[in-house]
Amino acid sequence: MEQEDINNSDIRLIFKDFGYSPYNKSKGEYEDFVSLIKGNWTLNFKLNCKDTSKTYIINKSYKVNNKKVHVKTVTLSPLSVKIKSNGKYNHFISKVTMKDSTVYSGNDFFISNTSSYSTIGMDLFGRSESYASFSKILNPKDIKSITINDEIEVMMP
């Protein structure tokens, strides 16, 4: 699926009532919405941003538990990282290490992973893309490495 480029578009956000849905721990579910301020608000703005992401060609193979993983590219932006790879390996970004030795992991970013596989003859060939969105803005030039599944450390050029 191809993403639509919405840059330079007019954006309209419409809000109704300000409030929250309380979480009931004993039931393990959210309760009905509690309205704090009733009303309607509309926010209009033009989305105008510059894509500052940079894609690095890695083209390096790694072996983990007798499985070969070939990391093709890593794309970095101030808010995210994306890794494209091939191999019979389901992976996720587990850690980002900065040049100053600061490590971001766990709650420091949100992870998303997509994989697709096709059968070619008797061999199963996989393609995978993993994403991590950072919870704060990072300078991509300061990223030293990306770690996959706590096993593969992909060094940035």
Side-chain angles (χ1 to χ4, degrees), residues 31-91:
E31 295 179 355
D32 291 338
F33 183 77
V34 176
S35 181
L36 298 175
I37 302 172
K38 290 194 178 287
N40 296 305
W41 300 270
T42 302
L43 175 63
N44 295 303
F45 63 95
K46 185 168 189 81
L47 181 64
N48 187 5
C49 62
K50 180 181 174 187
D51 183 4
T52 60
S53 63
K54 181 166 176 152
T55 299
Y56 297 93
I57 298 172
I58 304 298
N59 276 334
K60 186 173 179 183
S61 293
Y62 303 87
K63 195 166 186 177
V64 179
N65 298 329
N66 294 323
K67 293 181 181 182
K68 182 180 172 186
V69 179
H70 183 80
V71 176
K72 295 175 5 177
T73 61
V74 173
T75 302
L76 297 173
S77 80
L79 295 174
S80 66
V81 60
K82 176 173 74 173
I83 296 178
K84 286 188 177 183
S85 65
N86 288 342
K88 300 176 187 178
Y89 188 71
N90 188 17
H91 64 268

Short mmCIF file of all heavy atoms in Angstrom, two decimals, residues 31-91:
data_model
loop_
_atom_site.label_atom_id
_atom_site.label_comp_id
_atom_site.label_asym_id
_atom_site.label_seq_id
_atom_site.Cartn_x
_atom_site.Cartn_y
_atom_site.Cartn_z
N GLU A 31 -14.56 3.20 30.85
CA GLU A 31 -15.96 3.53 31.10
C GLU A 31 -16.43 4.60 30.12
O GLU A 31 -15.66 5.04 29.26
CB GLU A 31 -16.12 4.00 32.55
CG GLU A 31 -15.81 2.89 33.55
CD GLU A 31 -15.94 3.33 35.00
OE1 GLU A 31 -16.18 4.53 35.25
OE2 GLU A 31 -15.80 2.47 35.87
N ASP A 32 -17.67 5.02 30.24
CA ASP A 32 -18.24 6.02 29.34
C ASP A 32 -17.49 7.35 29.43
O ASP A 32 -16.96 7.72 30.48
CB ASP A 32 -19.72 6.25 29.67
CG ASP A 32 -20.57 5.04 29.33
OD1 ASP A 32 -20.13 4.23 28.47
OD2 ASP A 32 -21.65 4.89 29.91
N PHE A 33 -17.51 8.07 28.33
CA PHE A 33 -16.85 9.37 28.21
C PHE A 33 -17.40 10.36 29.23
O PHE A 33 -18.61 10.46 29.40
CB PHE A 33 -17.05 9.90 26.79
CG PHE A 33 -16.35 11.20 26.51
CD1 PHE A 33 -15.00 11.24 26.27
CD2 PHE A 33 -17.06 12.39 26.49
CE1 PHE A 33 -14.35 12.44 26.00
CE2 PHE A 33 -16.44 13.60 26.21
CZ PHE A 33 -15.08 13.62 25.97
N VAL A 34 -16.50 11.08 29.91
CA VAL A 34 -16.88 12.13 30.86
C VAL A 34 -16.53 13.47 30.22
O VAL A 34 -15.35 13.75 29.96
CB VAL A 34 -16.13 11.96 32.21
CG1 VAL A 34 -16.47 13.12 33.14
CG2 VAL A 34 -16.45 10.62 32.84
N SER A 35 -17.54 14.29 29.95
CA SER A 35 -17.33 15.58 29.31
C SER A 35 -16.98 16.62 30.37
O SER A 35 -17.71 16.83 31.33
CB SER A 35 -18.60 15.99 28.57
OG SER A 35 -18.39 17.23 27.93
N LEU A 36 -15.84 17.29 30.19
CA LEU A 36 -15.43 18.36 31.11
C LEU A 36 -15.85 19.73 30.59
O LEU A 36 -16.27 20.58 31.35
CB LEU A 36 -13.91 18.32 31.31
CG LEU A 36 -13.35 17.05 31.94
CD1 LEU A 36 -11.84 17.08 31.96
CD2 LEU A 36 -13.90 16.87 33.35
N ILE A 37 -15.71 19.93 29.28
CA ILE A 37 -16.11 21.18 28.65
C ILE A 37 -16.87 20.82 27.37
O ILE A 37 -16.33 20.17 26.49
CB ILE A 37 -14.90 22.07 28.29
CG1 ILE A 37 -14.07 22.40 29.54
CG2 ILE A 37 -15.35 23.36 27.60
CD1 ILE A 37 -12.76 23.10 29.23
N LYS A 38 -18.11 21.24 27.30
CA LYS A 38 -18.91 20.97 26.11
C LYS A 38 -18.67 22.06 25.08
O LYS A 38 -18.47 23.22 25.42
CB LYS A 38 -20.39 20.90 26.47
CG LYS A 38 -20.75 19.68 27.29
CD LYS A 38 -22.26 19.48 27.33
CE LYS A 38 -22.62 18.25 28.11
NZ LYS A 38 -22.31 17.02 27.40
N GLY A 39 -18.63 21.65 23.82
CA GLY A 39 -18.44 22.63 22.75
C GLY A 39 -17.88 21.98 21.51
O GLY A 39 -17.59 20.79 21.47
N ASN A 40 -17.74 22.80 20.48
CA ASN A 40 -17.17 22.37 19.21
C ASN A 40 -16.04 23.32 18.83
O ASN A 40 -16.19 24.54 18.97
CB ASN A 40 -18.23 22.37 18.10
CG ASN A 40 -19.33 21.37 18.36
OD1 ASN A 40 -19.07 20.20 18.55
ND2 ASN A 40 -20.56 21.85 18.40
N TRP A 41 -14.93 22.77 18.36
CA TRP A 41 -13.78 23.57 17.95
C TRP A 41 -13.29 23.07 16.61
O TRP A 41 -13.29 21.87 16.33
CB TRP A 41 -12.64 23.46 18.96
CG TRP A 41 -13.00 23.92 20.33
CD1 TRP A 41 -12.88 25.19 20.83
CD2 TRP A 41 -13.55 23.13 21.38
NE1 TRP A 41 -13.33 25.23 22.13
CE2 TRP A 41 -13.74 23.97 22.50
CE3 TRP A 41 -13.92 21.79 21.52
CZ2 TRP A 41 -14.25 23.53 23.71
CZ3 TRP A 41 -14.43 21.34 22.71
CH2 TRP A 41 -14.59 22.22 23.79
N THR A 42 -12.86 24.01 15.77
CA THR A 42 -12.29 23.67 14.47
C THR A 42 -10.93 24.34 14.37
O THR A 42 -10.79 25.53 14.65
CB THR A 42 -13.20 24.15 13.32
OG1 THR A 42 -14.48 23.55 13.47
CG2 THR A 42 -12.62 23.77 11.98
N LEU A 43 -9.97 23.55 13.97
CA LEU A 43 -8.60 24.04 13.80
C LEU A 43 -8.21 23.81 12.34
O LEU A 43 -8.27 22.68 11.85
CB LEU A 43 -7.65 23.28 14.73
CG LEU A 43 -6.17 23.56 14.61
CD1 LEU A 43 -5.87 25.02 14.97
CD2 LEU A 43 -5.39 22.64 15.54
N ASN A 44 -7.87 24.90 11.64
CA ASN A 44 -7.44 24.82 10.23
C ASN A 44 -5.99 25.24 10.13
O ASN A 44 -5.58 26.24 10.74
CB ASN A 44 -8.28 25.75 9.35
CG ASN A 44 -9.72 25.34 9.29
OD1 ASN A 44 -10.03 24.22 8.90
ND2 ASN A 44 -10.61 26.24 9.67
N PHE A 45 -5.21 24.51 9.34
CA PHE A 45 -3.83 24.90 9.09
C PHE A 45 -3.34 24.23 7.82
O PHE A 45 -3.91 23.25 7.34
CB PHE A 45 -2.92 24.57 10.27
CG PHE A 45 -2.80 23.10 10.58
CD1 PHE A 45 -1.77 22.33 10.07
CD2 PHE A 45 -3.74 22.48 11.40
CE1 PHE A 45 -1.67 20.99 10.36
CE2 PHE A 45 -3.63 21.14 11.71
CZ PHE A 45 -2.60 20.38 11.17
N LYS A 46 -2.28 24.78 7.27
CA LYS A 46 -1.66 24.20 6.08
C LYS A 46 -0.47 23.38 6.54
O LYS A 46 0.39 23.87 7.26
CB LYS A 46 -1.20 25.30 5.11
CG LYS A 46 -0.66 24.74 3.80
CD LYS A 46 -0.49 25.86 2.78
CE LYS A 46 -0.17 25.32 1.43
NZ LYS A 46 -1.31 24.85 0.68
N LEU A 47 -0.45 22.11 6.14
CA LEU A 47 0.66 21.24 6.47
C LEU A 47 1.77 21.53 5.49
O LEU A 47 1.63 21.30 4.28
CB LEU A 47 0.25 19.77 6.40
CG LEU A 47 1.33 18.77 6.76
CD1 LEU A 47 1.73 18.93 8.22
CD2 LEU A 47 0.82 17.36 6.52
N ASN A 48 2.85 22.08 5.98
CA ASN A 48 3.96 22.46 5.12
C ASN A 48 5.24 22.08 5.84
O ASN A 48 5.70 22.78 6.73
CB ASN A 48 3.92 23.95 4.82
CG ASN A 48 4.95 24.34 3.79
OD1 ASN A 48 5.63 23.49 3.23
ND2 ASN A 48 5.08 25.64 3.55
N CYS A 49 5.78 20.96 5.47
CA CYS A 49 7.00 20.51 6.13
C CYS A 49 8.01 20.02 5.11
O CYS A 49 7.67 19.70 3.97
CB CYS A 49 6.68 19.40 7.14
SG CYS A 49 6.00 17.92 6.38
N LYS A 50 9.26 19.97 5.52
CA LYS A 50 10.34 19.50 4.68
C LYS A 50 10.76 18.12 5.17
O LYS A 50 10.99 17.94 6.36
CB LYS A 50 11.51 20.48 4.76
CG LYS A 50 12.69 20.08 3.92
CD LYS A 50 13.82 21.08 4.07
CE LYS A 50 15.04 20.58 3.32
NZ LYS A 50 16.20 21.43 3.59
N ASP A 51 10.83 17.17 4.26
CA ASP A 51 11.26 15.83 4.62
C ASP A 51 12.77 15.84 4.81
O ASP A 51 13.52 16.05 3.85
CB ASP A 51 10.86 14.83 3.53
CG ASP A 51 11.23 13.40 3.88
OD1 ASP A 51 11.72 13.15 5.00
OD2 ASP A 51 11.02 12.52 3.03
N THR A 52 13.22 15.66 6.04
CA THR A 52 14.65 15.67 6.33
C THR A 52 15.20 14.27 6.55
O THR A 52 16.33 14.11 6.99
CB THR A 52 14.94 16.52 7.59
OG1 THR A 52 14.24 15.95 8.70
CG2 THR A 52 14.53 17.96 7.38
N SER A 53 14.41 13.26 6.21
CA SER A 53 14.89 11.89 6.39
C SER A 53 16.01 11.59 5.40
O SER A 53 16.08 12.16 4.31
CB SER A 53 13.75 10.89 6.25
OG SER A 53 13.21 10.94 4.96
N LYS A 54 16.88 10.67 5.83
CA LYS A 54 18.00 10.27 4.98
C LYS A 54 18.07 8.75 4.99
O LYS A 54 17.99 8.13 6.05
CB LYS A 54 19.30 10.87 5.48
CG LYS A 54 20.48 10.49 4.62
CD LYS A 54 21.69 11.30 4.87
CE LYS A 54 22.78 10.71 3.98
NZ LYS A 54 23.76 11.58 3.58
N THR A 55 18.20 8.17 3.79
CA THR A 55 18.30 6.72 3.66
C THR A 55 19.76 6.31 3.46
O THR A 55 20.45 6.86 2.60
CB THR A 55 17.44 6.21 2.49
OG1 THR A 55 16.07 6.55 2.76
CG2 THR A 55 17.55 4.71 2.33
N TYR A 56 20.19 5.37 4.28
CA TYR A 56 21.54 4.83 4.19
C TYR A 56 21.46 3.42 3.61
O TYR A 56 20.65 2.61 4.06
CB TYR A 56 22.20 4.76 5.57
CG TYR A 56 22.38 6.11 6.21
CD1 TYR A 56 21.41 6.62 7.07
CD2 TYR A 56 23.50 6.89 5.96
CE1 TYR A 56 21.56 7.86 7.67
CE2 TYR A 56 23.66 8.14 6.55
CZ TYR A 56 22.68 8.61 7.40
OH TYR A 56 22.84 9.84 7.98
N ILE A 57 22.27 3.14 2.62
CA ILE A 57 22.35 1.79 2.06
C ILE A 57 23.33 1.00 2.91
O ILE A 57 24.51 1.37 3.02
CB ILE A 57 22.77 1.83 0.59
CG1 ILE A 57 21.71 2.59 -0.21
CG2 ILE A 57 22.96 0.42 0.04
CD1 ILE A 57 22.08 2.87 -1.64
N ILE A 58 22.83 -0.06 3.55
CA ILE A 58 23.65 -0.87 4.45
C ILE A 58 24.17 -2.11 3.71
O ILE A 58 25.36 -2.40 3.74
CB ILE A 58 22.85 -1.30 5.70
CG1 ILE A 58 22.28 -0.06 6.42
CG2 ILE A 58 23.70 -2.15 6.62
CD1 ILE A 58 23.32 0.91 6.96
N ASN A 59 23.27 -2.87 3.06
CA ASN A 59 23.63 -4.08 2.31
C ASN A 59 24.63 -4.95 3.06
O ASN A 59 25.71 -5.25 2.56
CB ASN A 59 24.15 -3.74 0.92
CG ASN A 59 23.02 -3.54 -0.06
OD1 ASN A 59 21.94 -4.09 0.10
ND2 ASN A 59 23.26 -2.73 -1.08
N LYS A 60 24.24 -5.36 4.25
CA LYS A 60 25.09 -6.21 5.08
C LYS A 60 24.25 -7.37 5.61
O LYS A 60 23.11 -7.19 6.01
CB LYS A 60 25.69 -5.41 6.23
CG LYS A 60 26.68 -6.20 7.04
CD LYS A 60 27.38 -5.33 8.06
CE LYS A 60 28.35 -6.19 8.86
NZ LYS A 60 29.01 -5.42 9.89
N SER A 61 24.85 -8.56 5.60
CA SER A 61 24.16 -9.75 6.10
C SER A 61 24.64 -10.08 7.50
O SER A 61 25.82 -9.91 7.83
CB SER A 61 24.41 -10.94 5.17
OG SER A 61 23.79 -10.71 3.93
N TYR A 62 23.71 -10.57 8.31
CA TYR A 62 23.97 -10.98 9.69
C TYR A 62 23.42 -12.38 9.87
O TYR A 62 22.44 -12.77 9.22
CB TYR A 62 23.28 -10.04 10.68
CG TYR A 62 23.68 -8.60 10.54
CD1 TYR A 62 23.01 -7.76 9.64
CD2 TYR A 62 24.71 -8.07 11.29
CE1 TYR A 62 23.37 -6.44 9.50
CE2 TYR A 62 25.07 -6.73 11.15
CZ TYR A 62 24.40 -5.93 10.26
OH TYR A 62 24.76 -4.62 10.13
N LYS A 63 24.01 -13.16 10.76
CA LYS A 63 23.49 -14.50 11.04
C LYS A 63 23.08 -14.55 12.51
O LYS A 63 23.87 -14.25 13.40
CB LYS A 63 24.55 -15.56 10.76
CG LYS A 63 23.97 -16.96 10.69
CD LYS A 63 24.96 -17.92 10.08
CE LYS A 63 24.28 -19.26 9.89
NZ LYS A 63 25.14 -20.21 9.24
N VAL A 64 21.82 -14.92 12.75
CA VAL A 64 21.28 -15.02 14.09
C VAL A 64 20.53 -16.34 14.20
O VAL A 64 19.61 -16.59 13.43
CB VAL A 64 20.32 -13.85 14.40
CG1 VAL A 64 19.75 -13.97 15.79
CG2 VAL A 64 21.02 -12.52 14.23
N ASN A 65 20.93 -17.18 15.16
CA ASN A 65 20.27 -18.48 15.36
C ASN A 65 20.12 -19.26 14.06
O ASN A 65 19.04 -19.73 13.71
CB ASN A 65 18.89 -18.31 16.02
CG ASN A 65 19.01 -17.69 17.39
OD1 ASN A 65 19.99 -17.89 18.09
ND2 ASN A 65 18.01 -16.92 17.76
N ASN A 66 21.21 -19.35 13.30
CA ASN A 66 21.24 -20.07 12.02
C ASN A 66 20.30 -19.48 10.98
O ASN A 66 19.89 -20.17 10.05
CB ASN A 66 20.96 -21.56 12.21
CG ASN A 66 22.05 -22.24 13.00
OD1 ASN A 66 23.23 -21.90 12.85
ND2 ASN A 66 21.67 -23.17 13.84
N LYS A 67 19.91 -18.23 11.16
CA LYS A 67 19.06 -17.56 10.17
C LYS A 67 19.84 -16.36 9.62
O LYS A 67 20.48 -15.62 10.37
CB LYS A 67 17.76 -17.08 10.81
CG LYS A 67 16.85 -18.20 11.25
CD LYS A 67 15.59 -17.65 11.85
CE LYS A 67 14.70 -18.79 12.32
NZ LYS A 67 13.45 -18.31 12.87
N LYS A 68 19.76 -16.19 8.31
CA LYS A 68 20.44 -15.07 7.66
C LYS A 68 19.49 -13.89 7.54
O LYS A 68 18.35 -14.04 7.11
CB LYS A 68 20.93 -15.49 6.28
CG LYS A 68 21.69 -14.42 5.54
CD LYS A 68 22.13 -14.93 4.19
CE LYS A 68 22.71 -13.80 3.36
NZ LYS A 68 23.02 -14.24 2.01
N VAL A 69 19.96 -12.72 7.93
CA VAL A 69 19.19 -11.48 7.81
C VAL A 69 20.05 -10.52 6.99
O VAL A 69 21.21 -10.27 7.32
CB VAL A 69 18.89 -10.86 9.19
CG1 VAL A 69 18.13 -9.57 9.02
CG2 VAL A 69 18.15 -11.83 10.06
N HIS A 70 19.48 -10.01 5.92
CA HIS A 70 20.20 -9.06 5.08
C HIS A 70 19.54 -7.69 5.23
O HIS A 70 18.41 -7.49 4.79
CB HIS A 70 20.19 -9.50 3.62
CG HIS A 70 20.97 -8.58 2.74
ND1 HIS A 70 22.35 -8.65 2.64
CD2 HIS A 70 20.59 -7.55 1.95
CE1 HIS A 70 22.76 -7.71 1.81
NE2 HIS A 70 21.71 -7.02 1.39
N VAL A 71 20.22 -6.77 5.91
CA VAL A 71 19.70 -5.41 6.10
C VAL A 71 20.06 -4.61 4.85
O VAL A 71 21.24 -4.45 4.52
CB VAL A 71 20.27 -4.76 7.37
CG1 VAL A 71 19.81 -3.32 7.49
CG2 VAL A 71 19.88 -5.55 8.60
N LYS A 72 19.02 -4.16 4.14
CA LYS A 72 19.23 -3.43 2.90
C LYS A 72 19.44 -1.94 3.16
O LYS A 72 20.44 -1.37 2.75
CB LYS A 72 18.05 -3.64 1.96
CG LYS A 72 17.94 -5.10 1.53
CD LYS A 72 16.75 -5.48 0.69
CE LYS A 72 15.82 -4.46 0.24
NZ LYS A 72 14.73 -4.94 -0.63
N THR A 73 18.45 -1.30 3.82
CA THR A 73 18.55 0.15 4.05
C THR A 73 18.06 0.51 5.44
O THR A 73 17.26 -0.20 6.04
CB THR A 73 17.71 0.95 3.03
OG1 THR A 73 16.34 0.59 3.16
CG2 THR A 73 18.19 0.74 1.61
N VAL A 74 18.55 1.64 5.92
CA VAL A 74 18.05 2.26 7.15
C VAL A 74 17.73 3.71 6.80
O VAL A 74 18.57 4.42 6.25
CB VAL A 74 19.09 2.21 8.29
CG1 VAL A 74 18.61 3.00 9.49
CG2 VAL A 74 19.40 0.77 8.67
N THR A 75 16.49 4.13 7.10
CA THR A 75 16.09 5.51 6.87
C THR A 75 15.86 6.18 8.22
O THR A 75 15.11 5.68 9.05
CB THR A 75 14.79 5.56 6.03
OG1 THR A 75 15.01 4.88 4.80
CG2 THR A 75 14.38 7.01 5.76
N LEU A 76 16.56 7.30 8.42
CA LEU A 76 16.48 8.03 9.69
C LEU A 76 15.86 9.40 9.46
O LEU A 76 16.12 10.06 8.46
CB LEU A 76 17.87 8.23 10.28
CG LEU A 76 18.65 6.99 10.68
CD1 LEU A 76 20.06 7.36 11.10
CD2 LEU A 76 17.95 6.27 11.81
N SER A 77 15.04 9.81 10.42
CA SER A 77 14.52 11.17 10.46
C SER A 77 14.59 11.61 11.93
O SER A 77 14.87 10.79 12.80
CB SER A 77 13.07 11.22 9.94
OG SER A 77 12.17 10.81 10.94
N PRO A 78 14.31 12.87 12.22
CA PRO A 78 14.33 13.30 13.62
C PRO A 78 13.28 12.62 14.50
O PRO A 78 13.39 12.61 15.71
CB PRO A 78 14.06 14.81 13.53
CG PRO A 78 14.51 15.19 12.17
CD PRO A 78 14.18 14.01 11.30
N LEU A 79 12.26 11.99 13.88
CA LEU A 79 11.18 11.37 14.64
C LEU A 79 11.08 9.86 14.49
O LEU A 79 10.30 9.23 15.19
CB LEU A 79 9.84 11.99 14.24
CG LEU A 79 9.67 13.46 14.59
CD1 LEU A 79 8.37 13.99 14.01
CD2 LEU A 79 9.69 13.65 16.08
N SER A 80 11.87 9.27 13.58
CA SER A 80 11.68 7.84 13.35
C SER A 80 12.88 7.18 12.67
O SER A 80 13.77 7.85 12.16
CB SER A 80 10.44 7.61 12.49
OG SER A 80 10.63 8.14 11.20
N VAL A 81 12.82 5.84 12.68
CA VAL A 81 13.78 5.02 11.95
C VAL A 81 13.00 3.93 11.23
O VAL A 81 12.00 3.43 11.75
CB VAL A 81 14.85 4.42 12.89
CG1 VAL A 81 14.25 3.53 13.94
CG2 VAL A 81 15.90 3.64 12.11
N LYS A 82 13.43 3.58 10.01
CA LYS A 82 12.81 2.49 9.25
C LYS A 82 13.93 1.61 8.71
O LYS A 82 14.90 2.10 8.14
CB LYS A 82 11.97 3.03 8.10
CG LYS A 82 11.38 1.93 7.22
CD LYS A 82 10.41 2.45 6.18
CE LYS A 82 11.10 3.15 5.06
NZ LYS A 82 10.19 3.52 3.97
N ILE A 83 13.78 0.30 8.90
CA ILE A 83 14.76 -0.66 8.40
C ILE A 83 14.07 -1.57 7.39
O ILE A 83 13.02 -2.14 7.68
CB ILE A 83 15.35 -1.51 9.55
CG1 ILE A 83 16.14 -0.61 10.50
CG2 ILE A 83 16.23 -2.62 9.00
CD1 ILE A 83 16.72 -1.34 11.69
N LYS A 84 14.68 -1.73 6.22
CA LYS A 84 14.21 -2.68 5.21
C LYS A 84 15.21 -3.83 5.16
O LYS A 84 16.42 -3.59 5.09
CB LYS A 84 14.11 -2.03 3.83
CG LYS A 84 12.94 -1.11 3.68
CD LYS A 84 12.82 -0.67 2.24
CE LYS A 84 11.60 0.21 2.06
NZ LYS A 84 11.41 0.59 0.66
N SER A 85 14.69 -5.05 5.19
CA SER A 85 15.57 -6.21 5.18
C SER A 85 14.94 -7.39 4.46
O SER A 85 13.74 -7.39 4.17
CB SER A 85 15.95 -6.61 6.60
OG SER A 85 14.80 -7.04 7.30
N ASN A 86 15.75 -8.40 4.20
CA ASN A 86 15.32 -9.66 3.64
C ASN A 86 15.77 -10.77 4.58
O ASN A 86 16.80 -10.64 5.24
CB ASN A 86 15.95 -9.92 2.27
CG ASN A 86 15.39 -9.03 1.19
OD1 ASN A 86 14.32 -8.46 1.34
ND2 ASN A 86 16.10 -8.91 0.10
N GLY A 87 15.04 -11.85 4.60
CA GLY A 87 15.46 -13.01 5.38
C GLY A 87 14.29 -13.63 6.11
O GLY A 87 13.24 -13.02 6.28
N LYS A 88 14.50 -14.86 6.56
CA LYS A 88 13.48 -15.59 7.32
C LYS A 88 13.61 -15.19 8.78
O LYS A 88 14.05 -15.96 9.62
CB LYS A 88 13.68 -17.09 7.18
CG LYS A 88 13.60 -17.61 5.78
CD LYS A 88 13.92 -19.07 5.77
CE LYS A 88 14.01 -19.62 4.39
NZ LYS A 88 14.37 -21.02 4.38
N TYR A 89 13.23 -13.98 9.10
CA TYR A 89 13.48 -13.45 10.43
C TYR A 89 12.48 -12.33 10.69
O TYR A 89 12.42 -11.36 9.95
CB TYR A 89 14.91 -12.91 10.46
CG TYR A 89 15.42 -12.49 11.81
CD1 TYR A 89 15.72 -13.44 12.77
CD2 TYR A 89 15.63 -11.15 12.09
CE1 TYR A 89 16.23 -13.06 14.00
CE2 TYR A 89 16.14 -10.77 13.31
CZ TYR A 89 16.44 -11.72 14.26
OH TYR A 89 16.94 -11.34 15.47
N ASN A 90 11.67 -12.47 11.72
CA ASN A 90 10.74 -11.43 12.10
C ASN A 90 11.47 -10.53 13.10
O ASN A 90 11.90 -11.00 14.15
CB ASN A 90 9.49 -12.03 12.73
CG ASN A 90 8.43 -10.98 12.97
OD1 ASN A 90 8.49 -9.88 12.42
ND2 ASN A 90 7.47 -11.32 13.79
N HIS A 91 11.65 -9.28 12.79
CA HIS A 91 12.47 -8.44 13.65
C HIS A 91 11.75 -7.17 14.08
O HIS A 91 10.78 -6.75 13.48
CB HIS A 91 13.80 -8.11 12.98
CG HIS A 91 13.66 -7.28 11.73
ND1 HIS A 91 13.57 -7.85 10.50
CD2 HIS A 91 13.62 -5.96 11.54
CE1 HIS A 91 13.47 -6.89 9.59
NE2 HIS A 91 13.50 -5.74 10.21
#
